[in-house]
Each structure stands twice: as C-alpha cells, then as structure tokens.
Amino acid sequence: MNNSSEFANQRLREAGRAKDRAKRLAWAFVIGAALLEVLLGVALIDYWLALPAGLRMAGFMLLLLLLATGLGGWLKLRRRPTTIKEAALDTESQRPDLGCVISTAAEYTTGERSITHEYEPELVAALEQQAARNLHQAQISYTNKLLRPASFLAFALLTLLLFAAVAPVAFTAFKRTISPWSKETYTKVEVTPGSVDIPVGQDVDITNLFSGRLPKNPAIHWQQTNQPAWQSVALKASADGFYTYPFKKLQSSVKYQVTGNDAVSEVYEITTYVPPEVRALRVDVAYPEYTRVKPFFQTVPELTVLRASDLTFRITASTKLTKARLRFSGMPSIDLSAGENDQWSARVKAVTNADYWIELADAKGHGATNGQPYHLKVLPDNPPKIEITEPGEDMRAEATNTLPLKFAARDDFGISEIKIVYNKLGGPNQEIKCAFTNDGKGEFMGGAELALTGLNLKEYELVSYHAEARDNNTLDGPGVGVSPVYFIEITSEEGGAHPKSKPKSEGQRLNLLVIQKQIIADTTVLASKAGADKFDELASRQKEAVDFAEIYHESLGKFAAPPEAVKLMEDALREMKSASGSLAERKREAALPAEEKALADLYQIMKVLPRLGNIPIEPPPPSEEQPKPDPALQVVLEAIKKQKKELASNEEVAEALEEAKKLSRAQAQVLPPADEPGQSTENAGQGSKTSKAGPKAEGEKESNEAKAQAKPGEKKQAEEAQAEAKKEGEKKQGEQAKAGAKPGQGKEGQGGKAGTKPGEGKDGQEAKAAGKPGEGKKADQAKADAKAGEGKEGDGKEGEGAEAKPADEKETENLEKMAELESQLSKQAEALAAKLEKLAGKDTRLGHNAARQASKAAGQMGAAGQSLRQGNLGAAGTEGGQSLLSLDKVIAALQRLDQPNLTDVATEDFPKEYEALISEYLRKLSHEK
C-alpha cells in the first residue's frame, strides 16, 4: 500500500511541475509577443513620421511597462505552484473514463479528507492502489496550453522580420525606438574634407556622400568670419552620387554644415592661412679646390655646377619657420638649420643630377612646397682635349729623321702634364715630356722633337705616336686626354728632314693596313672602363680584318708565295685573333700589343711581296693609266668580293657626313647662351635676345675661328664650313627679323635689339644668292621690315609703334620659335640615326655607335626644346651642348670612313671647324671667364 501511495504522489507532483512550466512559458510567449508588436508599431510610426524624441520616449516607456507586467506575472506564477489535487483533476479531465479515483486518493494523501471510520483505511488503500494503476496508464501533457501563445509570438516575429526586410533603414527605426535619446538618423552624411587648413586664395571642394534614406532637400550652410549671418545653397547630386560644393579662392576662414532630411553634420571650419614662401634664396657654389675657380653665388634655384662642388643653400622665408628641408629625387632629404636673422641654411655635395623641392613649415605646422621641381644639373670634369697640329697626319720618314711636333690642348681647369707617347710597333712605349704655355683662356700649346734614331728602325717598320694631356683633377682623376694616333712609315721614299704625307690619289681604295691602323688608333684612345658596346664594335672590326687576312693567307699558299710571306701572314692572323678575343673580353691592355704586332707583320709582307701593294680589300677603279693588278692579287680581290658583303659606298658615307655637319651647324645656331656665375634667369633671357638678334655675326665669327684653327690639310674644309655657317646665319637673321622686328627697335646687337644695320643689303643679297630658292626673298623682306623699324642707335628700347609687343610676350614668342626649331632638328637627327643604322648593317667598320649617338642627340634636342618651352634656358643650353657633343662623335666616326687615306687614324672627338665654338660654350657652361 505504501508503494502505491508513493508512486501516485510522485506522478502527480511531476504533472504539477509540468503544468507550472507550461503556464510560465505561455506567459513569457504572450508578453514577448506583446513587446515585439509594440516595438514594431512604434518603429513603423517613427519610420513614416520621424517622431521627435519625446514621442519616441513614450513608446519606450510603454515597452518598459509591458516588460514589467510580464515579469510580475511570471514571478506570481512561480510563487503559486500547482497542487497534487489540481494535477489529479487535470489527469481526470484528460481521461474522463478514470472517474474520480485519482482526485479522491489525492485528497486523502494531502489531508483534505481525513479517515473517520474504521473501514476507511482499507478503502483508502484500495483507492490509492487503483489511482496508481490509473496514473501508470495515463500520460499527462500540457503542450496544448502553449499553442496559442506560441502562435502569437510567431506572428509577432514574422511581422518584425517582414518590416526589416522591406524597409531599408528598419534597424535604424528599431534603434531609435529602443534608445530614443540617441542621435541616430534615417539619413547619414559623410563630409570631406571636414575641418581643414588651406592657403589663402586656394579652392576647396566640399564632397558630401549621403547614405540611408536619400535626402529630399540636401543643403550646405556656411558662415564667413566676422559675419553673423549664415548662407545656404541647395546641393545637387552628380552622376557618381556625390553632392559637391566648391568654395572658390577663399580669402578668409569659413564655418560650414551640411543637412539633408534628418541628417545634420557637425559644424566644420575651413581655416585660411598665408603659406610660408621663400623670400630670398642664395646658393653659394664652391668648385673643387683643384679647379682654382673662385667661389661664386647665384640667386636662382636652377643649378648647373661641376661635379663634387659644395653648394650652400641660404633661405630667408616670408614668416617664422619651424622647419625647412631640401627634398631631392634619388638622394636623401636634407634639413636646413636655423641661423641668425631667420635665415636657414644647409650644405650639399653635388654628386649627381637631381630634381629638388624646398619644403617649408611655419609656426603652426602649415607647409609649403614649390609645385614644379627645381633642377640640379651636375657636370663631369671632362678630360682635356689635345691635338697634334703639326704634322697631324701619317708620315713617311727615314730612320734617322727627327720630326718636329706641335700640339694644342684645352681644358677648363688647367693641365698638369703633356707628353708624347711613341713606340716602334711591337716594342715598349717611350715618352717625351713636353713644355707648354697657357694663354690664360684654357688653351695650352707647345712642341717636341721626336728623334727616330734611337729606335733602331728598319725599312717597312712603323712608329706610332700620340699626345697625352693630364688635367689637375685630384678628386677622382687625373683626367687623361689622348690625341689621335699617327703612324710613321720608315722608308726612303719621299724621306727627308721634313717629310710629307703620302699624296692621296683618286684611285686609292680601302686596304687592310688602313683598317688595322684605325683599330689601333681607336683602341689607344679607348678607356679601360669603356662601355661594352665600344669593345664589341672594335672586336667586330678586328674580326672582319681577320677574315680579309685569311683570304690573303689562302691565296698566298695557292700561288706559292715565299715562305717568309706566308709565315708573316700566319703571325699577323694569330695576333689579330688574339686581339679580337681580348677586345671581346674587354681587355684593352692585352689587345693593343697584338694589334700593333699584326700591323708590323703586314708591313713586312709588303716588303717581301711588293706585288701585293698595300694589301687592298677592294679592286681599284678601271683606269687606262693604271696597270692591271698582279694575278695573285686579282684572285684575292675576287675572293673577297664573293665572300664579303658589299661595304657602304663612299658616296653614302659622304652624304651622311654632310647631313651630320649641317645638323651640327644648325644646332650651334639655335643653341641658347649658357648662364654666367650668379646670373639670374631674367638676365639669361636678355642674353638670349642679344644672341638671337645677331646670328649672322656669330656664324661668321665661328667660321673665322674654325678657319684660323684648322690644320693645313683642312683649309678647304674650313672655308666650306665658313661659307655654310655664313649662309645659315643670314638665313636665321632674315627669318627672325621678319618675325620679330618692331617699329622703333634699335640696331642689331645693342642690348637685345633686333634689326639690321644700314648697308647690310649686300649680305642679304649674298644669302639670297647662296641659299635655297625663296630664301633670298625672305632675307630681303626681313631686311626691309627691320630697316623700317629701326630706332635710335643704342637706345635699347622699343618705339611706340602700333605693333609693339611687351618684352615678356616677345621673349615667350622667341623661346617658342627656338623650341620649334629644336623639335625640327630632333626629327632630322632621328632620320640620320635611322640612315646610320642601315649603313652599319652594310659596313661593320662604322658600327652601331654612330647611330646610337645620333639617336642620343635627337633626344637631347627634344629635351632642349621642352626646356625652352618652360623658359628654362640653363637646362636648354646644357641639353643643347650635350647634343652638339653627340653629333661631334657621329661626325668623327663618319670622317674616319670618308677619309681613310688622309688622316685615317684620327678618331676625333669633334670636328676641327667647331672646336672654337664648342670650347667657348663649355667654358661658359663651367662658369669660367
């Protein structure tokens, strides 16, 4: 009986606990659903009406009230648990067939009904047994009591999620309802740049990006300093969705704010300030000590200085500074140090070309930097230039002769030593140290006596000689300049105390001796650290000489030549191959002795086999007076013609040489003058006017100087150069006078005045006669225009004619014309480079270096034109001068092929007719007076 009573009580208590859980959960579902529905209702109203904070606060309080009610009801249910009898009645209600046995048994168990009769204990025991059996069969569940509350909660959640999915800013509505005190808005705005400091007069674009609910009335509001009224302007969206408003050339500070729908940005401020600027700039330039150039200074930021110069920048700003810095491209930045009188300074070593900027920061940290970079152009200290002026050509002499030599050298910063280096081919070098004089303008001249007696020379042996000059460069030098190499052939023919060069006949053709001489000459002047392209070019030329020598060697064997000649050719071949290999490996010192030994062997072959002549590689032109060549030689020439591709014709080389010379002359005419030390940009501009006013006079001067310095064998060439320069000068004068002469201008050459002097009609007629068709008319018209506009001589001012232009406008026009000329010359140089590239493919003697130099000159001319358009005369002059040097190398390479029998070993760095012009320009460029 006791077991049945305990089982029944346990089952009824479990049922009571289950009912309590169901009631509390159902209550939570109802309260939760109510809270969600109230939240959704308030959020919906706020979404459509954008409720003020007070109403949103009322909705929030309603939510709190519901939450409190639910919590109170839940606690009340927890304090009133379900009784056993209530659980029994719930069981009997779910199982009516069980009757009231379970509830009656529960009453006896809980004490609600007591035993009063003697038979009742047995009756109660029986009831409890029956209740236990019924509870064992019955399954009590309260799940059905949760269906309604759960459905209500599910409906609330569904409507909430639907609102969140449909409304783009539903979460913002929920946030505003849950936290009505927050600043959350349905429309948000992001303002750029916000608060900012800008220089006075600068533009600022206010960019606004709205998100969330699109604004219907976006606007910007601003207030200027010292003005109480606010101004407003509606904003319009651009294609990319931004709302932009520009503040143009602000002169004072401005406060501004952006609004749109319920979005209101914070108040930003644009603060204007006067940026610091360089009020005064001074750059002290100290060249390296060995140059003996006095320190100087300049006040313009564009710098062209010698490498390793010390530059001291001194800057005075328009306001107090906290920091100043020089920022370089490709170099570390350098901070300037503050000094007395608010001057900031820094010392810089000029080691490489660089762009630089001056960065300033005032007391409030406001920075300023020059927009366009300034340029630091660092020039290397080029080695001296030296020429043997007398005799300056290959010679024939007897072994007992003593040859008088004269030389001329030039260097910007002085020469410490000049010597003559000579040797018998295959023998050691010997030197003669020479005395020399200095004319004070960078020219050094002197002479020496070259005695051949001590060399124990025999017939058909050779002596090579050249001059070397060392400069005073103690920094990374000394720089060594080497003259062209000349050869002395030992023979009694045309010998004597004053031997003469072998005359050049029209029928002479290129020969193996000339080729080998040229290779020796080029190797002698080649620097040990020269580029791979130069070594490769020489190696290719030596390999071609090997090919010619092999053909001769094969032919000598076929025609039973003397064994001594065959052996000499074998030796020459071996030495040539050795030299070609050394050149390919960039071993100059090893290549030169082998080249000389090969040439010495070739001359000995001429001695053994006179019928070979000078070992030609091209057949002579047909001539009735010229005897037919030896059959053996004829076979060799036929073999060469079959095996070797046709070389570039002399006409092609001469045509390319003439084009290069004309291009160089034209560039020399356009070239702007270099700045003197301390000269400002303005002064440079005035100098250019003067230069442009008198191109004819300058052209004549250059031609006269070239003629005066030309060697005896080049007088005809110098005279032609003078006539060509005069024609170019008069042509340029006519064009400029026609374009730029104004009424009232003074005479030519007077402080930048344009025009022509009375009496210059003759020159104009000469230009007209010498120039191309139509050029004479231009010159006459230019003369007439200039004469009509002449003013008082020497006044240096323009008249008040109707066509007078301001000086700056005229200067800009002149610079633009010069820039256009540079562009045209650049295109011509590119065309010349293409032609030289084709010639190099036909003739390896020329190589590809000439084409590269022409292309390099084209790029430098283009850069000069660009600098002229920017008004940067210093940079334009530097680029123009470099282009002249590149063209000089092209001319030297072509002259080597065009005149193989005159001065065929003179690998000149520049043509003689331009020596005076280029030297004077480089002197100015290096700031030496």
Side-chain angles (χ1 to χ4, degrees), residues 568-584:
L568 286 170
M569 186 60 75
E570 290 177 352
D571 293 344
L573 264 171
R574 182 178 63 255
E575 298 296 338
M576 287 181 181
K577 292 178 180 179
S578 174
S580 178
S582 298
L583 289 170

Side-chain angles (χ1 to χ4, degrees), residues 667 819 822-827 855-869 879 883:
Q667 176 65 1
E822 286 285 7
S823 299
Q824 295 175 5
L825 293 177
S826 177
K827 294 177 181 178
S855 180
K856 182 179 179 182
Q860 290 163 339
M861 291 172 179
Q866 185 65 26
S867 298
L868 286 170
R869 289 188 175 91
E879 295 292 347
S883 68

Side-chain angles (χ1 to χ4, degrees), residues 542-623:
Q542 185 66 81
K543 177 62 170 61
E544 184 173 279
V546 169
D547 295 341
F548 290 131
E550 285 180 339
I551 296 174
Y552 269 97
H553 181 259
E554 293 176 2
S555 300
L556 290 177
K558 291 179 181 178
F559 284 88
E564 183 180 358
V566 176
K567 180 64 169 58
L568 286 170
M569 186 60 75
E570 290 177 352
D571 293 344
L573 264 171
R574 182 178 63 255
E575 298 296 338
M576 287 181 181
K577 292 178 180 179
S578 174
S580 178
S582 298
L583 289 170
E585 297 174 1
R586 306 183 194 179
K587 297 179 180 179
R588 173 189 172 277
E589 302 300 330
L592 192 56
E595 294 170 358
E596 293 183 349
K597 184 65 171 62
L599 181 60
D601 290 338
L602 293 176
Y603 264 91
Q604 291 303 311
I605 293 173
M606 290 176 58
K607 179 180 178 182
V608 176
L609 282 176
R611 59 181 180 172
L612 293 182
N614 56 3
I615 316 182
I617 63 171
E618 294 179 353
S623 173

